[in-house]
Amino acid sequence: MKTRVALIFGGRSAEHEVSCVSASHVAAAMDPDRYEVVSIGITKTGEWVLPDPAVPGGGAFKAEGRPIEVFGPFGASASPDAATAGLEFDVVFPVLHGPFGEDGTIQGMLEMAGCPYVGSGVLGSAVGMDKAMMKTAFSAAGLPSARAATVRGADWEGRRVEILDQACLLGFPSFTKPANLGSSVGISRCVDADAVAAGIDLALQFDTKALVEEGIPGREIECAVLGNDDPQASVCGEIIPGREFYDYEAKYVEPSSKTIVPADLPEVVTTLIRSYSVAAFKAVEAAGLARVDFFYDESGRGVVINEINTMPGFTEISMFPKLWAAGGMSYPELIDKLIELALERHSAKPRGGVI
C-alpha cells in the first residue's frame, strides 16, 4: 500500500510564498509508486483549504480552494466528507516556515490529533523559532554565538532612548531582526544609532519581540542535520551573497547570490562546524531535520553559530537538499528518510494511559 502523506503548506507567516514553493518541490520529489500526496493549503488569513488545480496560476500549491476542517480533537478529520476529500493519511509533512507552522503551534495540534509528522516536536520547534530562547539554549550548551539584546515591543514604546543606548553598545555594524521569523524577513544591517532604531521598528512590524545582534565578520557557512536520537551532520556549504548581506532579496530574488558545496574549509574547521551543528540540534531538542548557520571569522573569533532552522527551505535554491546531495543522498531519498524518521519518532513515543 502507498503511504498517504498530508503535505501542508502556505500559512499565516511572512514566509507564505516560500512555503508554497518548497511544498511544490517536496511533492515533485515523492515517488508516486510509494506515496499518495494530499495537498492541504493554509491561507494567509489562516483558513485551511483543499487547493483547486483549476485556480489560474496557482495549481495544487497555491493556498486557495475549498475550505475544510482537517483535524478533530482525537482523529484525522472532522469534515463530514473526509473520505471523499481524501483526508485520511499516514503521516503529515508540514512544509511551513515561520510562525504558525515552524514554531510549535501546528506541532502541538498534530500531537493532540495523534498524527505522525515530519520535523521537530513542540519544544524543539518553539525554541528553534524564537531566536532569543535559541541563544539561551546555545549558551547553556557551551556553543559560541554573537552577543545580542532582546527588545520587546511594549518596552520599546516606553523606554526607546534607554534601550537604543544599550543596543548601540554592541557596536557597528549590527543587525536587527524579528525574534520569531525566518528567510531573512525583516532583517536590517545597521551602521549607526538611527539605523538601529529604524531596524527595531521594522522588526517589530513582524513580531512582538526583536533582536539586536552584533555583526560578526566572516564567511557564511551552513550545515544540515538529519536524524532523531542519533543525528548526523552533512558536508558544509558556503553562501556568497549577491548583496551586502544575505537578506530576503539575496536569498530569493538577487540572481548573483550563489552557494558553494562543499565549502572550501580547513578540515579542522569542517569537523568543528559539523560537531557544533549536532550539538545545536540537541540543545534545542530538534528532531528529524534542521539547518544550522554559522559565521567563520578566519582572522578573529573563528566559528560562531548564528541560528538553527528546524524547517529549512526545500526550493530549488535551498541549501538543505544541496548539502545532502553533495554527500550522495538524492532529493527523493532525502524525502524518504524524513518520512521514515517521522514514523520512527511517532512509534517510539510512550503511549501512557489516562489517569
Side-chain angles (χ1 to χ4, degrees):
M1 294 180 63
K2 294 183 181 181
T3 299
R4 302 201 73 200
V5 182
L7 189 62
I8 303 178
F9 63 93
R12 292 170 56 191
S13 85
E15 299 175 79
H16 178 100
E17 286 78 11
V18 178
S19 169
C20 293
V21 177
S22 287
S24 69
H25 286 274
V26 171
M30 289 186 179
D31 183 350
D33 293 328
R34 295 189 60 183
Y35 303 108
E36 183 178 353
V37 179
V38 180
S39 300
I40 300 173
I42 303 177
T43 69
K44 291 181 179 181
T45 56
E47 189 175 46
W48 293 57
V49 298
L50 287 177
D52 184 355
V55 173
F61 294 98
K62 188 170 184 178
E64 298 178 5
R66 179 162 58 87
I68 55 171
E69 281 188 71
V70 184
F71 298 100
F74 305 107
S77 176
S79 176
D81 58 350
T84 57
L87 298 179
E88 298 173 353
F89 33 77
D90 302 304
V91 63
V92 176
F93 199 140
V95 190
L96 295 163
H97 307 309
F100 308 109
E102 195 181 343
D103 59 353
T105 49
I106 196 171
Q107 288 76 16
M109 186 187 74
L110 294 172
E111 293 284 354
M112 290 291 290
C115 296
Y117 58 93
V118 171
S120 295
V122 175
L123 178 61
S125 298
V127 177
M129 185 82 266
D130 190 310
K131 295 176 177 62
M133 295 305 298
M134 179 197 305
K135 282 182 173 293
T136 299
F138 288 165
S139 177
L143 295 168
S145 62
R147 295 178 301 140
T150 301
V151 181
R152 300 179 187 277
D155 295 336
W156 181 239
E157 290 299 321
R159 299 166 43 220
R160 190 179 181 100
V161 173
E162 175 189 348
I163 290 172
L164 185 59
D165 287 344
Q166 291 296 314
C168 290
L169 294 177
L170 294 170
F172 299 107
S174 61
F175 289 84
T176 55
K177 59 184 74 172
N180 291 275
L181 205 57
S183 294
S184 297
V185 175
I187 291 184
S188 303
R189 183 179 185 272
C190 308
V191 296
D192 56 30
D194 288 341
V196 172
I200 293 173
D201 285 334
L202 174 63
L204 290 175
Q205 292 180 26
F206 296 96
D207 193 12
T208 59
K209 189 166 62 175
L211 226 64
V212 183
E213 195 170 62
E214 68 170 325
I216 303 293
R219 299 159 63 183
E220 298 192 33
I221 309 296
E222 299 186 349
C223 184
V225 182
L226 196 62
N228 288 328
D229 295 330
D230 184 27
Q232 304 296 312
S234 71
V235 303
C236 297
E238 181 171 4
I239 301 292
I240 309 294
R243 293 163 62 92
E244 190 172 29
F245 68 98
Y246 201 43
D247 61 1
Y248 186 92
E249 295 291 317
K251 282 185 177 181
Y252 301 112
V253 179
E254 176 57 59
S256 61
S257 294
K258 63 180 181 179
T259 58
I260 300 174
V261 182
D264 183 13
L265 296 167
E267 184 176 352
V268 65
V269 174
T270 296
T271 300
L272 182 62
I273 290 174
R274 296 180 74 233
S275 173
Y276 279 170
S277 296
V278 171
F281 189 88
K282 292 180 177 180
V284 302
E285 295 286 345
L289 73 161
R291 191 196 70 237
V292 190
D293 303 342
F294 297 86
F295 298 110
Y296 175 43
D297 182 4
E298 297 172 278
S299 58
R301 294 174 60 175
V303 175
V304 177
I305 188 169
N306 181 23
E307 62 185 47
I308 188 169
N309 189 318
T310 58
M311 185 53 71
F314 281 90
T315 72
E316 76 277 6
I317 62 170
S318 296
M319 190 65 117
F320 185 82
K322 285 184 177 182
L323 291 170
W324 287 111
M329 184 181 295
S330 69
Y331 200 132
E333 289 172 333
L334 178 58
I335 299 303
D336 290 345
K337 183 63 176 178
L338 290 172
I339 291 173
E340 175 189 321
L341 288 168
L343 296 171
E344 171 192 280
R345 181 170 175 269
H346 183 75
S347 65
K349 291 177 182 176
R351 298 289 184 264
V354 177
I355 298 176

